[in-house]
């Protein structure tokens, strides 16, 4: 009986699907500078939006560019994700066998069909690549998309900002 709590802890840890922590991703700085020339105003740079201190609903995600960074392997995602619990859900369809780590995406389509928010992303690096489709409960915390699919919104900030 005294080991039952240890067994439960091991099971919960092993079944956890969280791949990342909230550490900022290390995207290629040269690529970020190049993208900033297209997606930001003069005198601005792209940086990851820190989702940790704020609660941002999945339906409110809006960024000029998104990066995908999940773990350290070549692929951030190698298969679709279909998570559901109680009144929440989160789905990703990658339409390929690998979404490269460090790849950059822009929103091709964003649609709210209550109670679900749908996003379709197009690769900036290789526009001919298959689209990335993501959907989830509109009030899902955006950190879920970051922690389970590696979706990292990037924002434009002044070059003089830290």
């Amino acid at each position: 009986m005294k080991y039952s709590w240890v067994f439960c802890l091991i099971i919960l840890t092993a079944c956890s699907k969280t791949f990342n922590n909230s550490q900022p991703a290390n995207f290629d700085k040269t690529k970020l500078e190049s993208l900033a020339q297209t997606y930001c105003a003069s005198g601005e740079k792209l940086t990851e939006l820190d989702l940790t201190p704020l609660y941002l609903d999945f339906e409110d995600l809006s960024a000029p560019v998104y990066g995908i960074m999940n773990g350290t392997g070549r692929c951030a995602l190698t298969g679709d994700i279909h998570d559901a619990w109680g009144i929440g859900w989160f789905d990703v369809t990658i339409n390929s066998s690998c979404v490269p780590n460090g790849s950059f995406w822009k929103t091709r389509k964003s649609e709210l069909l209550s109670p679900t928010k749908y996003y379709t992303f197009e690769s900036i690096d290789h526009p001919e690549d298959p689209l990335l489709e993501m959907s989830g409960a509109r009030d899902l915390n955006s950190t879920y998309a970051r922690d389970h699919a590696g979706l990292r919104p990037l924002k434009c900030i002044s070059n003089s900002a830290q």
Side-chain angles (χ1 to χ4, degrees):
M1 189 68 170
K2 71 179 184 177
Y3 295 107
S4 64
W5 68 272
V6 174
F7 180 72
C8 289
L9 181 63
I10 290 170
I11 294 297
L12 287 173
T13 303
C15 293
S16 173
K17 292 178 91 174
T18 300
F19 301 111
N20 292 329
N21 57 27
S22 60
Q23 296 296 318
N26 292 316
F27 291 107
D28 180 284
K29 289 184 187 337
T30 305
K31 183 66 177 178
L32 283 173
E33 290 169 3
S34 173
L35 289 170
Q37 292 176 4
T38 302
Y39 294 96
C40 298
S42 178
E44 291 184 329
K45 63 183 177 182
L46 276 172
T47 189
E48 183 178 346
L49 174 64
D50 185 4
L51 297 172
T52 304
L54 50 104
Y55 187 96
L56 182 65
D57 285 341
F58 186 63
E59 73 172 321
D60 295 325
L61 271 179
S62 177
V65 177
Y66 294 86
I68 302 284
M69 185 70 72
N70 196 12
T72 58
R74 185 179 75 77
C75 300
L77 298 168
T78 56
D80 296 344
I81 298 172
H82 304 289
D83 292 345
W85 60 92
I87 59 168
W89 60 94
F90 178 73
D91 291 302
V92 178
T93 304
I94 67 171
N95 296 308
S96 70
S97 60
C98 174
V99 174
N101 245 337
S103 57
F104 295 97
W105 300 76
K106 64 182 178 181
T107 305
R108 178 187 257 193
K109 183 178 179 184
S110 171
E111 185 174 29
L112 177 62
L113 297 175
S114 193
T116 304
K117 180 68 177 209
Y118 296 90
Y119 294 96
T120 302
F121 299 104
E122 178 182 334
S123 173
I124 293 172
D125 305 311
H126 304 284
E128 71 281 0
D129 282 358
L131 300 174
L132 177 66
E133 299 168 303
M134 197 173 291
S135 64
R138 64 186 289 179
D139 58 353
L140 177 72
N141 191 330
S142 295
T143 57
Y144 196 90
R146 180 198 63 205
D147 295 344
H148 293 264
L151 183 71
R152 297 173 180 271
L154 303 175
K155 66 177 182 174
C156 298
I157 63 168
S158 169
N159 281 329
S160 60
Q162 291 287 354

